[in-house]
Amino acid sequence: EPEVTQTPSHQVTQMGQEVILRCVPISNHLYFYWYRQILGQKVEFLVSFYNNEISEKSEIFDDQFSVERPDGSNFTLKIRSTKLEDSAMYFCASSYSSYEQYFGPGTRLTVT
Amino acid sequence: KQEVTQIPAALSVPEGENLVLNCSFTDSAIYNLQWFRQDPGKGLTSLLLIQSSQREQTSGRLNASLDKSSGRSTLYIAASQPGDSATYLCAVLMEYGNKLVFGAGTILRVKS
């Protein structure tokens, strides 16, 4: 069964460094998303992406964040200058339409 | 702003019991509702999706119902097993936009 994959599974970085989290969505899906979950808190929406542009973003998704679909298979989330409060589990998701979203296993980001 | 609440926050039951998890949402303008399972430190596995026009969905021992007008959904788990132990998340997709809004989850422990 097709699945969303994410790399790396765990990323440790120092405050102020740039990180890129990578995702490979399900191949025929058209909508792509990033969510995050700070330890002990709710899963929060960050951004959705369709037709090579951002379709919706939350207040969390400020100028420090960017997304890109550099080729036909990858979908990336970049954090330009990480802060301690960016430490969280980041989930990528994809969907064929505004229907069922399929989530990847997540990347645990630890900012020290 | 949509708020999703899940009750109870935690539940511990002996193996074999039937149980009900509750989810409520404040804005009934939803497109669909998804129930997810999350194992500790892992990603989100979609269990059931109910479209706003549907009343319930079933998959194996799981049955989810939706009362859109009253802003409620329930997840019924029949004959619980220790392997059902996990956090169960409810999330709604709004009619406008394409982000999922999550509840905080119910932590379920099924004792053998």
Side-chain angles (χ1 to χ4, degrees):
Chain A
E1 185 175 327
E3 57 183 19
V4 177
T5 60
Q6 291 186 243
T7 54
S9 57
H10 190 191
Q11 173 92 47
V12 181
T13 189
Q14 290 190 325
M15 200 165 49
Q17 295 297 304
E18 174 184 286
V19 293
I20 297 176
L21 310 183
R22 303 180 191 280
C23 169
V24 178
I26 294 173
S27 62
N28 66 337
H29 283 186
L30 303 174
Y31 295 77
F32 314 110
Y33 314 85
W34 284 100
Y35 293 81
R36 79 173 185 188
Q37 185 178 33
I38 295 171
L39 189 64
Q41 297 187 22
K42 292 183 179 184
V43 176
E44 305 172 284
F45 170 80
L46 293 178
V47 65
S48 60
F49 192 84
Y50 171 72
N51 201 26
N52 282 319
E53 60 182 25
I54 291 173
S55 51
E56 189 174 356
K57 61 182 181 179
S58 71
E59 319 80 64
I60 304 167
F61 194 88
D62 61 20
D63 291 345
Q64 291 300 309
F65 292 87
S66 62
V67 289
E68 193 177 36
R69 188 152 162 82
D71 54 42
S73 59
N74 290 284
F75 181 51
T76 62
L77 174 69
K78 181 193 290 187
I79 309 175
R80 289 192 180 81
S81 178
T82 51
K83 305 176 195 141
L84 294 175
E85 54 265 36
D86 292 328
S87 294
M89 183 76 98
Y90 287 81
F91 294 108
C92 173
S94 69
S95 64
Y96 180 73
S97 65
S98 291
Y99 199 63
E100 189 168 6
Q101 294 186 20
Y102 293 84
F103 281 72
T107 292
R108 180 169 299 284
L109 177 64
T110 302
V111 182
T112 61
Chain B
K1 181 187 171 187
Q2 178 72 275
E3 294 287 341
V4 179
T5 303
Q6 292 187 244
I7 294 173
L11 184 62
S12 182
V13 300
E15 182 176 4
E17 270 203 12
N18 303 324
L19 54 100
V20 175
L21 308 182
N22 297 290
C23 172
S24 62
F25 45 95
T26 54
D27 186 343
S28 62
I30 67 167
Y31 188 77
N32 64 42
L33 183 146
Q34 273 184 268
W35 282 94
F36 292 89
R37 170 185 172 135
Q38 184 176 31
D39 292 287
K42 302 293 185 182
L44 309 178
T45 301
S46 181
L47 297 173
L48 288 164
L49 179 144
I50 312 178
Q51 292 287 64
S52 61
S53 57
Q54 296 176 318
R55 298 285 294 185
E56 65 178 85
Q57 281 286 341
T58 298
S59 176
R61 294 184 293 109
L62 305 180
N63 175 277
S65 68
L66 174 63
D67 184 341
K68 181 182 170 182
S69 59
S70 68
R72 292 180 185 170
S73 176
T74 61
L75 179 67
Y76 175 81
I77 303 176
S80 57
Q81 302 169 358
D84 295 330
S85 299
T87 297
Y88 290 80
L89 301 174
C90 163
V92 297
L93 183 69
M94 303 305 297
E95 284 179 357
Y96 45 89
N98 49 16
K99 67 178 183 185
L100 285 171
V101 180
F102 282 82
T106 293
I107 302 171
L108 172 65
R109 181 180 169 222
V110 181
K111 298 171 287 186
S112 56

